[in-house]
Amino acid sequence: MKKGCPFGTHRVIEPVGSLPQAAWKIDNTMEIYSNEILLDVITLNVDSASFTQMKQACGNDPEKIKQMILDIVNERGKLQNPVTGSGGMLIGVVREIGPDLKDRGLKVGDKVATLVSLSLTPLKIEKIKSINLNTDQVDIEGKAILFESGIYAVLPDDIPEKLALAVLDVAGAPAQVNKLVNPGMTVAIIGGGGKSGVLCAYQAMKNAGKDGKVIVIEKSEQNAKRIEELGLAHHVLQLDATKPVEVFEEINKLTNGNLCDVVINNVNVEATEMSSILITKDEGIVYFFSMATSFTRAALGAEGVGKDVTMIIGNGYTKGHAELSLNILREAPKIRELFESVYA
Amino acid sequence: MKKGCPFGTHRVIEPVGSLPQAAWKIDNTMEIYSNEILLDVITLNVDSASFTQMKQACGNDPEKIKQMILDIVNERGKLQNPVTGSGGMLIGVVREIGPDLKDRGLKVGDKVATLVSLSLTPLKIEKIKSINLNTDQVDIEGKAILFESGIYAVLPDDIPEKLALAVLDVAGAPAQVNKLVNPGMTVAIIGGGGKSGVLCAYQAMKNAGKDGKVIVIEKSEQNAKRIEELGLAHHVLQLDATKPVEVFEEINKLTNGNLCDVVINNVNVEATEMSSILITKDEGIVYFFSMATSFTRAALGAEGVGKDVTMIIGNGYTKGHAELSLNILREAPKIRELFESVYA
Ligand SMILES: NC(=O)c1ccc[n+]([C@@H]2O[C@H](COP(=O)([O-])OP(=O)(O)OC[C@H]3O[C@@H](n4cnc5c(N)ncnc54)[C@H](OP(=O)(O)O)[C@@H]3O)[C@@H](O)[C@H]2O)c1
Ligand SMILES: NC(=O)c1ccc[n+]([C@@H]2O[C@H](COP(=O)([O-])OP(=O)(O)OC[C@H]3O[C@@H](n4cnc5c(N)ncnc54)[C@H](OP(=O)(O)O)[C@@H]3O)[C@@H](O)[C@H]2O)c1
């Protein structure tokens, strides 16, 4: 049995020398190297930006989306949306563990969620069993490979697997909020009514405390109302974040011109960088979790309005993120209820 | 005389409601609003990523590049490269100051460099006088508009204008290094032999101090040698940053497996995100100044290898950046000499 590179470069077909995420095509032969793990896949949880793009491209037709998914995986050896560049994650059962990874405390038969993106995970789909347009989840028969550096979480007993998967997919976001938000801060969550947004709003309320102020900006009335009912913000503004001047004026009014210490961007659409930047106070922080963020738009946009703000690229991983996000479900029964009704 | 929006939205033609940088087309009528400044343009300093793309698209033919620049400005009302999304900056002479901006201490006839990107600056070119393929600078006859929120620097007397312009274009980079690098840190500068890289390496050496370690990674032998001769790093590695595994192995060896506290990316090519991420230590910082950075590649890439690093989007502006970068020229005669020979 051969040993592969910890990062998976041994499976890159094109361009050679790049890492699997940046690769155009990877080798999805389902025979493991000595430092790989083989999984029987149960469910794919497609990244929201990617699934939105697929639904648009296929006019919401499930059969066409199925075909699009199969075509991408056949062509690239992984489910990486060629337009958004993003993937998602999966749940599967451990089928084989390479001898080099025997000491990890993982065993054949364990049910795990991968915490690395599908955009770099070798995947082979035998059959798509069903597709859920509301939850972005796709049940399949198939196999996937985890590299040595690939992180995963063994699924807990007390949380249904699809619920855990939905939460783990965006686990990086509330964990980063936990790092960035301190007591007394004013925090805005753009797209706070969505999946990652709800978790971020909960964490922001907890960290900002009684002297803090959490503001959620949401486009749809329904999502805005939900946040209000759940008590996940001090203020909920129903606004379109692609209209920066409007958003700036409302937040400027609401904060008496002080603006926000921390802004978290959780939307699933393009062109919301400037709203995020304009409502951040001088020397404040913008955390872009949205995969629809454009690097140049953010960099040049901040400079263009002379804003001295720190802009962070949302890293999907930070230590303890899986535990933190699953604990939110344990601490907040109302959020668990909501997630159960929508995603599980 | 009408008053415009401080951010310049009054000049956006398409899409309405967006800010000038995000706009596809802006109004470049050279008649000012009460809170605008009109400039007679002397020189455009095209952003390196944009100029590289133009040179490639035009096979290095100066006449074709001239035409490409004219076409972009005619179509969009600003010099924003449609492929890279980036612009650059300009030097000009103040010709008219809107009555609302009279109290700024600026007067007609002052020579200024704009510190906001050309990608959002209304521009009209009457004539391209000359174009310099080595310095990315284009001498023109034409006019430009600065919005109320648009920052600029009055050019100093002791530094030739083209030299000042070249340095001010990348002033954000060394100013951010000054914020991020503390004594004793290990710092890598990828693309450290280029314009912004040299300034960053100087600042990193200064901040990291005698117990720190500054490593420059450069592709060409010439640029690598230059850094060595200038004494701007403790170690210079001649490597291609688009080969992440190679770069990782070298830095891993050099730092005895400790990797870097801070990594600054100053390249002008794509696909160097993973090199930057892999050589950063756990909980370290990657600062992406390069406009060729892909947001999704960075976000998913870090997650994909389970790296808990903070990734910052290079904001071109931070307080005091113009003074800091011009002072490097005053403090370091050898850098001044180099910049004079190359850019002025
Ligand atoms: N960085 C990472 O590692 C990582 C990992 C996973 C996911 N992500 C990204 O994170 C983002 C959010 O994911 P998610 O699962 O939380 O998505 P989601 O549940 O679809 O939530 C998106 C939210 O944004 C709102 N929204 C859409 N357009 C808006 C607008 N113009 N103004 C204000 N709000 C708007 C949506 O409201 P409506 O429903 O009313 O439209 C929705 O509530 C996606 O871009 C996803 O790709 C990043
Ligand atoms: N964030 C902002 O606000 C802002 C503002 C201005 C500029 N920028 C961006 O900053 C970047 C650098 O600008 P600059 O003016 O300093 O550019 P530059 O002078 O052209 O420097 C780029 C350097 O990167 C090196 N390089 C190229 N490919 C490489 C590779 N594969 N591996 C290692 N090194 C490599 C180049 O070396 P060779 O010459 O040997 O190829 C050169 O020394 C550009 O992307 C520019 O767009 C950003």
Side-chain angles (χ1 to χ4, degrees), chain A residues 295 299-300 303, chain B residues 47-50 52 86 88 136 166 169-173 190-198 217-224 226 239-243 265-270 272 287-293 313-317 343:
Chain A
F295 184 91
L300 296 174
E303 183 191 76
Chain B
D47 159 81
S48 173
S50 168
T52 301
S86 59
D136 309 355
D169 174 40
V170 294
I190 304 185
K195 190 166 68 171
S196 61
V198 164
I217 296 168
E218 247 305 325
K219 193 172 165 199
S220 72
E221 200 185 326
Q222 189 198 347
N223 282 8
R226 199 157 78 183
L239 290 168
D240 179 352
T242 64
K243 307 251 180 300
N265 184 318
N266 296 93
V267 303
N268 56 351
V269 296
E270 290 203 344
T272 63
Y287 181 80
F288 287 108
F289 191 68
S290 165
M291 283 293 166
T293 306
I313 298 176
N315 183 344
Y317 173 63
Y343 304 107

Side-chain angles (χ1 to χ4, degrees), chain A residues 45-317:
Chain A
N45 198 67
V46 183
D47 159 79
S48 173
S50 168
F51 207 66
T52 303
Q53 192 277 332
M54 287 184 190
K55 284 195 284 195
Q56 271 167 7
C58 301
N60 284 310
D61 178 340
E63 290 310 312
K64 285 197 183 143
I65 298 175
K66 279 186 193 174
Q67 196 52 51
M68 186 168 173
I69 291 174
L70 291 172
D71 289 346
I72 292 173
V73 175
N74 281 338
E75 191 175 33
R76 311 195 60 171
K78 55 180 179 174
L79 183 54
Q80 179 176 34
N81 183 311
V83 178
T84 66
S86 59
M89 42 184 305
L90 61 81
I91 331 183
V93 174
V94 175
R95 187 189 179 116
E96 192 183 351
I97 302 172
D100 297 346
L101 306 181
K102 281 280 182 245
D103 298 333
R104 284 202 171 179
L106 190 71
K107 56 185 192 305
V108 170
D110 276 352
K111 197 177 282 178
V112 299
T114 60
L115 301 178
V116 289
S117 172
L118 289 176
S119 66
L120 57 88
T121 302
L123 177 69
K124 205 160 220 168
I125 298 181
E126 276 133 38
K127 191 177 143 191
I128 296 188
K129 298 203 287 198
S130 69
I131 188 162
N132 186 327
L133 297 194
N134 297 319
T135 64
D136 310 358
Q137 293 186 345
V138 183
D139 288 340
I140 70 161
E141 273 167 28
K143 293 196 170 50
I145 299 272
L146 258 179
F147 301 127
E148 184 176 344
S149 67
I151 43 177
Y152 55 86
V154 177
L155 288 172
D157 291 333
D158 63 332
I159 296 173
E161 65 189 40
K162 287 201 179 168
L163 184 58
L165 182 61
V167 169
L168 288 171
D169 174 40
V170 294
Q176 296 289 355
V177 169
N178 186 39
K179 279 182 167 178
L180 296 174
V181 177
N182 296 321
M185 279 187 172
T186 298
V187 183
I189 321 254
I190 305 186
K195 189 166 70 170
S196 60
V198 164
L199 299 174
C200 288
Y202 175 83
Q203 193 64 45
M205 287 293 276
K206 192 167 159 177
N207 287 32
K210 65 174 178 22
D211 298 327
K213 188 184 276 184
V214 175
I215 306 164
V216 160
I217 297 169
E218 246 306 325
K219 195 172 163 197
S220 72
E221 200 184 326
Q222 188 198 346
N223 282 8
K225 221 167 143 184
R226 198 156 80 181
I227 290 293
E228 252 169 20
E229 285 166 6
L230 289 169
L232 288 178
H234 299 100
H235 303 274
V236 180
L237 301 178
Q238 196 195 329
L239 289 169
D240 179 351
T242 64
K243 307 251 182 299
V245 181
E246 231 173 278
V247 172
F248 168 73
E249 281 166 1
E250 290 297 322
I251 295 284
N252 199 33
K253 222 187 317 170
L254 185 65
T255 60
N256 298 318
N258 289 319
L259 307 178
C260 306
D261 297 289
V262 174
V263 173
I264 312 286
N265 184 318
N266 297 93
V267 302
N268 56 352
V269 296
E270 290 204 343
T272 64
E273 295 85 357
M274 283 313 298
S275 289
S276 315
I277 291 166
L278 289 183
I279 65 173
T280 305
K281 71 172 62 155
D282 207 42
E283 306 197 348
I285 293 175
V286 186
Y287 181 79
F288 288 107
F289 191 67
S290 164
M291 282 294 167
T293 305
S294 149
F295 184 91
T296 48
R297 245 190 326 225
L300 296 174
E303 183 191 76
V305 292
K307 269 275 187 172
D308 192 359
V309 295
T310 299
M311 297 179 285
I312 301 181
I313 298 176
N315 183 345
Y317 172 64

